[in-house]
Structures are given as structure tokens and as C-alpha cells.
Amino acid sequence: IVAGCISHPHSWPWQISLRTSFGLHFCGGTLIDPQWVLTAAHCLEKSSRPSAYKVYLGLHRERASESSVQKIDVEKLFKEPHRVDIALLKLKSPAIINNHVIPVCLPKENSVLGGREECYVTGWGDTKGTGGDGYLKETGFPVIENKICNRPEFLNGKVKSHELCAGNIHGGTDSCQGDSGGPLVCLDQDKFVQHGVTSWGLGCAQPMKPGVYVRVSNYIPWIRSVMENN
Amino acid sequence: KGDVLDDYLRMDGVWILTRNKQFYETNNEIECAEKCEAERNFTCRAFLYTRKKLQCLTLAENSKTTLIFSSTDSVLYEKRIYLLQCKRGIGKDYRGTEAKTWRGIPCQKWAEKTPHNPNITPEKYPSAGLEENYCRNPDDDVNGPWCYTTDPAIRFDYCNIPECEGQVMQTTEATEGPTVDCMICNGEDYHGNVSRTESGLECQRWDAQEPHMHGYTLKHFPGKDLKMNYCRNPDGELRPWCFTTSPTKRWEYCNIPRCTTPPPEPAPGRQCLSGRGEDYRGTISVTESGNTCQHWSSQSPHRHARTPENYPCKNLEENYCRNPDGEKMPWCYTTNRTARWEYCTIPSCDGVEQDTAAVDGPEQAQVTEECYRGNGVSYRGTTSFTVTGKKCQAWNSMSPHRHNKTSDRFPNADLRQNYCRNPDADSRPWCYTTDPGVRWEYCNLKKCDDNLQITLPKPPQTTLEPDPECINGNGKDYRGTVAKTARGRTCQDWRSQRPHSHDYFTPLTHPEAGLEHNYCRNPDGDVNGPWCYTTDPRKAWEYCDIPKCPPAQYECGKSKVKQKLCAQR
């Protein structure tokens, strides 16, 4: 996360850290059910073997030295069948739900954001020298409607309808490498709902180049069917 | 009489599919219109003209009655009188489709002889539009359009045709009522029924998400009249637009003519920030980072389209901060080449409005509540200072702290002025503070006297702390007090070396494993769960029988720790 701030420990209890089998963080993800994690498909490019990955939950520090940390192996990987940058991980055993580990809410199928919502992204990714490395950082910014985001001065038609943009028009704060797969959540009344999976961007925190997130509401039927059938 | 084309409504880039048509070759649209006027084979309601081929096609049908396709080279001209569902004067040129009398009796077809044998027939009055059983006024009746009725007892009766008013034009959606088909300013108030883009594509309905998914819904843009698939300008664009039904063209501007009347006199506007500051008309011309604003009429150093000409009603004067496009607050292009545009810091009107509210009628009478009950969710008093004496920020203000505790998100929380409230069921009333360094604080309020407290049912317990007497997973986190093995043997104290000596699993070697007393524990992550050394000299250790915890009940998306919600905007 570029700029933003270090979050209150365990205030984003659905954020997971996707790691190599040796424990090296490389992507984020979100707990959507005690045994299921949503992440980006591009985070799973290096290996198609579930044993190559580990999911860390309940952590604030990247070092994962807290006693609240749960480390769970991955049982199965499910990439979206049409090569959209979204994937599901089934954990070998359910995460223990406690004050440090709580699933996020998913949006209603095909629900849309109006382009004014205040949303938040979190992660342990690159900070581009803005500090807070090693801690779970957060930053907030509005969602930008695709009509605006696809203007020539923004992302010039690169944003597909199954994606959404979010960021500050001036840049300055953004998600970045290492935050991929993590959540973009928006407050709906008193609950956080995951509307995006961190996917791609043109650089990080550049003016007029907001981050691009996979639009979760488009994939609710797929998520539901994978979870029900597995 | 002006141009013959004045009687037609023009639509570029479309083609309509009709059965009755006649081909001609003409040099221009005017000649084609003359062909339409002179058409004898059928009633000409419209014509298509293709400039490249000089092709003129007179048509018996118009866009109200048949299919429309996009076709880049052609232009459709529809005779206005056939699009009107209202009458002008006595309605002699009324060509609408009303076919009932004012009493609701169906009209007889003009060409039929029963139940009444008419004197006025299509043959005798070929130019009177006596088609089907539509109400007409072929004989200049001062009472307006009429028809022979299908009731044998009533030979004829008048129809109830609404009057056309001034420049008002009614289109096919007769139930929508008359609508003005021109726009003033940037068409933000345009409520007309045009539903095609400038290239002739049909608009997608605003309440549809196909073929284009979008966020311009009624919910997100209330008050923007996003009905049907009509062109609108909900977001400060140059002019009305719509998403199109073409999968390859997400959205496009519509061609809405400008009204000939001059734009309305500008409202007086404010000198302070209220809401998003769209009505700010002050003279601040410096951005929040200290850059000087570029003149709106200048294209240097930043080229842009927010010019006074493009936005005639937005008071883009000099280089003053303005919000012509529904941004969060007034802004301007800056004279700094590296900062294209920035927001401005405009003092809030909150104080002024607060004073005004105080003198409002009885409904605004201020409630005096010096204490709160329960967690203060129902507190409706007017305290507006925190425990450390900081003044509260108004809930509808985003300065100095941006937040999402707004009255539209929490409509029942009474987020008025800057009064302490508890919209999120925190432990007591709180507010965002006006101190930029302190986002929020609890308020300087006491809990009401317990004796006076009303006992309310407690909300369901939502704690997620594990039940100490059951285990999750392998029970590594088990911290309960079971001290017997599954076979009933008593556990040995972890600090003791008798009867079994053990160096490895002690409170000193595993300080985080909870090795207290002789309670069952799982310091080594044994997959079979907690265990203990036993007091039976014959059995060194044994598993304990501790029940599995039921699946935790949780509320998704709700953290037990409040977020910072930090945002650098």
C-alpha cells in the first residue's frame, strides 16, 4: 500500500497473507468463509500445486510472530474458468473464527457501486518508500465509475466491465505489488463488503492511474457453485 | 412559412424498416420533403435521405410504429404532426392515435359504413388523415377532433385530446406527459424523452445492467431522473448522454438541441462550503496545497474542456474555485504544470446553518439531554464537545476528517449538526473532532443515573472469544481447565517432575502454550489434541477428551477492532 497508514492490529480480520510453502509473503487474499479464501488468479501462476502455498490468518505483522496467527495449508485451487483474475482457495482445515479471524461479507450478485463509495484496500505489499513496511497497511479512496476510468487521460479503455477502478484522481495512494489478491472493501451500513480483488494498475499511486480490481459481484454465482460443489 | 424541413424531426444515423415506401432520387433533403408532401400512394409520415446516394425514401410509417436500425449515412426526418399526441388549436392537424370518445366509447373506422353511414369519408377528405378509427377534425369543428362512435345510439362524439403547450412536444410515451425536448446549460435538468445517441444508437435503460454494467442507478443518483432509457446528464458531462444498447459502444452523447430561451439567471450562490459546494460562488482562487488557480478560460498550462463556454451556467469566472462537475468540493486547474488540478479549501457554512436551524420552528426545538442511556444509541441531545474538550465536526462535513458516518447511510441515527451520537453502536456517544490531529473521541457525557435507566433487552452476544471448555482444530489454543485424561487419569502439574520427569514441555520452555497447573494442553501441536502427563506412574502421558467447539457464529464483515479508515484523498 502506497501512503495510507498502518492499520489498527486485527481491524481487517478477513485479510490473509498468501505465502510460499517456505512462508514468504507474495500476495494477499480474503477469508470469505472459514474454509475458503478469495484471491487473484495471477497469484497462483507459479505453481498449480496446492502444496506450494500456505495461508496465514490473524496476523498484523508480515513476520507473523503473533500468537494469533493461524497457518493453514491449501487443499485445492480454483481459477475462474474464463481467465478472469480471480481465484478461490480451499483450505485444508477451517480457520478458527475468533476476534482476529473473521470472514468478510460478499456483495449481492451483480450489485454495482455508484462511483462515490468510500472503499478501502489493505495489504503488506510495496509501500514505495512511504513507510509502514512489514505491517498491514490500509488506505481509502473512492471507486471510480468505468465510464470515467476509461477516459483517455485515465486508463483509456483498458478497464473491462468485469473490473472496477478505485483510487484518487491525483494518485498518491494506491495498492501496489504484493497487495494483489487482497480485498477492496466498502462499508455498507455497519459491515464491510468485498467488492474488489486487487488485480492490476499502471504503476502505483500515479496521478490519473487508479488501481484496477476484479468486480466480485460478477462472480458470486461462480463462487457459490465452487464452494457448494467442493 | 420557413423551411419545409421545420415540420420534421431529424434523427441522424438511423434507418427504419417499413412496408409502405417509395424510392426517389433527389438532390437534397428539401426536395425529398417535397416528395413526401406530394405522396399520393400513402400518407407520408417520414422520409429517409441518404446523402451519398442522393436516395430519398418516403415512408408511410415512422419511428413510433416500426423498428429502427443504425445506419451511418442516412438521416430520418419524421413529420412532427405524426409524433404529437396533443392538439394545436382546434386540432385540424391532429394525427395522433386516440380512438375513443371523451366518454370512452370506441370510435368507428372512417372507412366503415356501420353502425353509422358517414358523410365524411377518406375519399371525400383525402388530406384529413382519416385512417383507422382515430379521432380527427376534418370539418374544422370548433370543439376539436371527433369520430363516429361504435354505439348505434350515438352517431358521433368528441375526443378528449390534450392541448399542446408552446414549445412542448409529446412523444410516444403518452403516459409520461408533455416534456421539453431542448436543454439549457449542460442539460443537467433535461427531462426529455430522447433515447438515442448522436450516432443513432439506442440507449440502454438506466435500470438495466446489460449490455453494459454501470453504477448510474437510481439508488446512486437519486433525483437525476434516470428513467427509461432517456438521455440524461447525471454527472456533470458536457451534455446528456446514455449507455448504448450496442455491446461495442459503452456510452455516447446525445444530440439535444439547446433551448432558444437564454439560460436562467444564476442563483445567488454561497460564499462558503455547503455540501459539495456546487453553488459556491466565492472568490477563493488558491488550492489546498497553495497553488494558484488557472483561469477557467485559459488553456495554459493545462488544456481542458471546463471552459465558461462549455459550462455556461457554472459561473466559471476568473480563476475562482468552482465545482462544475459534481466533484466532492470546489476545485480548479492550477498554474503549476505538475499539478493539473486540485481541490480548494473553502470555509464550511456549518456554523451559519447551525445558527439558522436554532431559530427554526418548534420541530427544530433542541432537546436537552445531559446524559445517555445504555450505549447511547438513542441519545438525541445537543452536546457537541468531546471528553478532552474538542469541538465536534458536523456529521455532514468531510473536513477536517473524511468519514462515512453520514445521515444517508445511517438514516435512523439522527446525525444532525455536530451533536454527539452513536450511529455504529459503539460503547457511548462520540463524534469526529474539529482537531485535524484527532479523528474522533467519545463525548463529554455522563451515563444517566442507573436508577432511572430503562432496562432494555441486551443485544445478542457476538463475542468471538473461544469457549474455554471446547477445542477448535487440534486444540493448540485450548486454555480450559480439564485436568483428566480420556481414561480418567488425573493430570500431572506441568511444573512438577513427579511421577514423570520431563524437561521439554514446561512453562519455561513453552511460555506461550498455557502450561498452567495440571490442565490438558497441546504444546507440541499434536494432531490428536490436548494431552497431559498423568499422575499414574505406569502411564507417562495420555490424551484428554475435550469436546470440539461448534462452528463459531460470526457476522461477516464486522471486525471487533475499529478500523482507522485512514484515507489520503
Side-chain angles (χ1 to χ4, degrees):
Chain A
I1 302 289
V2 179
C5 54
I6 297 172
S7 65
H8 284 142
H10 311 293
S11 59
W12 305 99
W14 35 83
Q15 171 84 47
I16 68 100
S17 164
L18 186 58
R19 303 197 170 208
T20 64
S21 51
F22 302 108
L24 189 71
H25 168 92
F26 65 93
C27 264
T30 322
L31 191 71
I32 59 168
D33 173 275
Q35 206 161 356
W36 290 91
V37 163
L38 195 61
T39 187
H42 81 256
C43 291
L44 308 178
E45 275 168 2
K46 285 195 173 164
S47 175
S48 56
R49 288 180 300 109
S51 59
Y53 305 102
K54 261 187 187 298
V55 168
Y56 283 28
L57 308 97
L59 64 162
H60 176 59
R61 294 177 176 203
E62 190 183 341
R63 274 194 298 158
S65 50
E66 302 102 318
S67 60
S68 57
V69 175
Q70 299 178 41
K71 303 173 185 178
I72 306 181
D73 290 331
V74 176
E75 184 178 305
K76 269 184 173 177
L77 315 174
F78 301 88
K79 290 187 187 176
E80 202 279 336
H82 303 102
R83 304 175 70 84
V84 175
D85 195 15
I86 188 170
L88 278 166
L89 309 177
K90 186 180 182 193
L91 305 180
K92 267 197 175 154
S93 59
I96 296 163
I97 305 303
N98 55 35
N99 287 352
H100 301 131
V101 177
I102 301 170
V104 76
C105 300
L106 289 176
K108 283 185 187 148
E109 182 180 339
N110 290 331
S111 59
V112 288
L113 292 166
R116 290 182 185 178
E117 279 81 357
E118 301 288 349
C119 300
Y120 297 87
V121 292
T122 45
W124 290 275
D126 196 346
T127 67
K128 294 284 181 201
T130 58
D133 302 67
Y135 293 90
L136 183 66
K137 287 184 73 180
E138 64 173 64
T139 189
F141 36 58
V143 164
I144 300 172
E145 224 282 340
N146 288 23
K147 171 173 173 274
I148 312 291
C149 200
N150 271 325
R151 284 178 179 168
E153 67 269 33
F154 285 80
L155 295 177
N156 195 19
K158 292 184 175 68
V159 186
K160 306 285 186 299
S161 61
H162 67 263
E163 297 171 322
L164 60 85
C165 302
N168 278 348
I169 290 168
H170 297 312
T173 187
D174 198 359
S175 50
C176 200
Q177 274 68 34
D179 295 320
S180 283
L184 173 136
V185 293
C186 311
L187 201 52
D188 185 356
Q189 292 290 355
D190 56 346
K191 288 178 179 178
F192 281 98
V193 176
Q194 185 180 3
H195 280 276
V197 171
T198 306
S199 184
W200 63 274
L202 298 182
C204 302
Q206 296 299 308
M208 319 285 255
K209 305 294 174 213
V212 182
Y213 302 80
V214 172
R215 198 182 281 274
V216 175
S217 67
N218 282 20
Y219 298 96
I220 298 300
W222 172 72
I223 292 169
R224 200 181 295 135
S225 88
V226 169
M227 288 172 63
E228 279 171 8
N229 296 323
N230 295 278
Chain B
K1 192 177 177 186
D3 193 329
V4 65
L5 295 178
D6 289 346
D7 293 340
Y8 293 80
L9 193 67
R10 175 189 164 129
M11 208 189 293
D12 288 81
V14 295
W15 185 269
I16 65 173
L17 197 62
T18 70
R19 280 171 299 160
N20 293 318
K21 54 183 172 275
Q22 188 68 49
F23 284 95
Y24 300 96
E25 192 175 306
T26 63
N27 291 315
N28 51 48
E29 289 102 321
I30 293 174
E31 286 181 21
C32 190
E34 287 165 358
K35 294 285 183 196
C36 184
E37 298 295 324
E39 191 58 70
R40 289 290 168 262
N41 298 325
F42 49 81
T43 306
C44 181
R45 290 183 176 78
F47 66 88
L48 282 163
Y49 189 73
T50 314
R51 281 181 198 151
K52 265 188 190 165
K53 299 178 190 168
L54 302 179
Q55 190 182 60
C56 166
L57 195 60
T58 58
L59 312 168
E61 290 148 7
N62 60 15
S63 63
K64 283 165 66 181
T65 54
T66 187
L67 279 175
I68 296 195
F69 300 94
S70 70
S71 167
T72 46
D73 290 337
S74 59
V75 186
L76 172 70
Y77 286 87
E78 295 177 280
K79 224 169 178 177
R80 290 177 190 273
I81 59 166
Y82 291 108
L83 298 171
L84 290 172
Q85 294 288 351
C86 53
K87 67 174 185 187
R88 295 182 289 204
I90 59 169
K92 184 164 177 59
D93 64 355
Y94 171 71
R95 295 294 182 274
T97 53
E98 180 57 73
K100 280 193 180 104
T101 70
W102 69 277
R103 284 185 244 238
I105 303 167
C107 294
Q108 175 184 315
K109 287 189 176 175
W110 293 98
E112 286 182 355
K113 307 287 182 200
T114 57
H116 307 286
N117 190 11
N119 296 331
I120 294 176
T121 63
E123 292 76 30
K124 287 185 189 167
Y125 293 80
S127 307
L130 303 182
E131 313 152 271
E132 298 293 328
N133 59 344
Y134 304 143
C135 301
R136 293 289 182 263
N137 193 358
D139 57 347
D140 297 341
D141 192 313
V142 291
N143 293 316
W146 58 273
C147 66
Y148 297 105
T149 86
T150 51
D151 181 345
I154 303 173
R155 182 170 169 80
F156 78 95
D157 208 347
Y158 296 101
C159 304
N160 188 18
I161 312 292
E163 297 275 348
C164 301
E165 294 165 355
Q167 295 296 311
V168 168
M169 192 184 106
Q170 203 165 354
T171 60
T172 46
E173 281 76 26
T175 53
E176 298 295 325
T179 51
V180 177
D181 248 5
C182 61
M183 66 174 199
I184 52 171
C185 301
N186 296 94
E188 283 148 326
D189 292 328
Y190 173 70
H191 298 296
N193 297 1
V194 170
S195 57
R196 282 184 187 279
T197 68
E198 59 190 359
S199 73
L201 297 173
E202 191 183 341
C203 293
Q204 174 181 317
R205 284 180 67 102
W206 295 101
D207 59 0
Q209 293 293 328
E210 285 182 352
H212 304 290
M213 203 168 181
H214 65 91
Y216 290 86
T217 62
L218 271 178
K219 177 184 152 198
H220 296 120
F221 289 84
K224 298 293 182 182
D225 195 30
L226 299 182
K227 64 181 176 188
M228 307 291 285
N229 61 342
Y230 302 146
C231 300
R232 293 288 182 263
N233 186 4
D235 58 351
E237 279 286 353
L238 277 176
R239 51 201 165 98
W241 58 274
C242 66
F243 294 103
T244 87
T245 51
S246 162
T248 55
K249 185 82 182 169
R250 190 162 191 259
W251 71 277
E252 200 170 46
Y253 286 117
C254 302
N255 258 347
I256 312 291
R258 278 194 189 280
C259 297
T260 49
T261 49
E265 277 295 305
R270 294 174 192 257
Q271 303 294 312
C272 53
L273 182 71
S274 173
R276 291 170 175 259
E278 281 150 325
D279 60 350
Y280 173 69
R281 296 294 179 263
T283 55
I284 289 174
S285 55
V286 178
T287 70
E288 58 190 5
S289 73
N291 283 318
T292 301
C293 293
Q294 174 181 321
H295 277 66
W296 295 100
S297 57
S298 164
Q299 294 293 322
S300 173
H302 303 289
R303 291 189 62 77
H304 64 94
R306 308 279 184 212
T307 61
E309 294 74 37
N310 282 344
Y311 289 84
C313 309
K314 302 294 183 183
N315 288 83
L316 300 182
E317 311 158 278
E318 305 287 335
N319 61 342
Y320 304 147
C321 300
R322 291 287 182 268
N323 185 2
D325 54 353
E327 263 295 340
K328 292 175 190 303
M329 61 180 89
W331 58 276
C332 66
Y333 296 103
T334 85
T335 51
N336 178 347
R337 285 181 187 282
T338 61
R340 183 170 164 81
W341 65 271
E342 284 176 341
Y343 293 117
C344 303
T345 305
I346 312 289
S348 170
C349 302
D350 281 353
V352 179
E353 286 178 351
Q354 201 163 330
D355 293 339
T356 313
V359 295
D360 273 355
E363 283 181 13
Q364 295 293 325
Q366 306 218 326
V367 183
T368 305
E369 282 185 63
E370 301 305 332
C371 61
Y372 65 93
R373 297 180 191 283
N375 62 359
V377 164
S378 60
Y379 175 74
R380 296 294 181 262
T382 54
T383 294
S384 57
F385 286 90
T386 71
V387 280
T388 63
K390 294 184 175 63
K391 192 180 173 191
C392 292
Q393 173 182 320
W395 296 100
N396 68 358
S397 168
M398 292 293 150
S399 176
H401 303 289
R402 298 197 62 77
H403 63 91
N404 52 26
K405 300 288 184 300
T406 53
S407 53
D408 56 334
R409 283 173 182 271
F410 294 87
N412 301 320
D414 192 41
L415 299 181
R416 278 187 296 139
Q417 313 283 8
N418 61 342
Y419 303 150
C420 297
R421 292 289 181 266
N422 188 2
D424 56 348
D426 202 333
S427 58
R428 54 199 165 111
W430 57 276
C431 66
Y432 296 104
T433 84
T434 51
D435 178 346
V438 180
R439 185 168 169 80
W440 68 274
E441 270 185 348
Y442 291 116
C443 285
N444 186 23
L445 276 167
K446 288 177 184 166
K447 202 163 185 174
C448 300
D449 187 340
D450 282 347
N451 296 331
L452 298 173
Q453 213 165 318
I454 302 161
T455 308
L456 295 170
K458 280 187 177 176
Q461 293 295 307
T462 53
T463 178
L464 292 171
E465 285 303 340
D467 178 346
E469 290 308 345
C470 63
I471 58 168
N472 287 297
N474 63 5
K476 196 164 186 284
D477 298 326
Y478 174 70
R479 296 294 181 270
T481 55
V482 172
K484 278 200 176 342
T485 71
R487 293 175 182 269
R489 292 187 173 90
T490 303
C491 293
Q492 175 182 315
D493 195 308
W494 294 96
R495 293 164 293 188
S496 166
Q497 298 293 325
R498 287 183 187 177
H500 304 287
S501 65
H502 57 99
D503 294 333
Y504 191 62
F505 295 113
T506 70
L508 290 174
T509 59
H510 289 76
E512 289 180 353
L515 302 181
E516 315 156 82
H517 304 286
N518 59 343
Y519 302 147
C520 299
R521 292 290 182 262
N522 191 357
D524 54 347
D526 193 309
V527 290
N528 293 314
W531 55 276
C532 65
Y533 296 107
T534 82
T535 52
D536 182 342
R538 293 165 299 167
K539 189 72 182 173
W541 66 273
E542 229 167 28
Y543 290 115
C544 303
D545 188 15
I546 300 169
K548 292 261 183 204
C549 295
Q553 297 299 307
Y554 63 86
E555 284 187 274
C556 69
K558 275 191 166 181
S559 174
K560 294 291 152 190
V561 182
K562 210 166 192 164
Q563 293 79 15
K564 275 187 189 164
L565 300 185
C566 85
Q568 298 191 344
R569 298 185 177 87

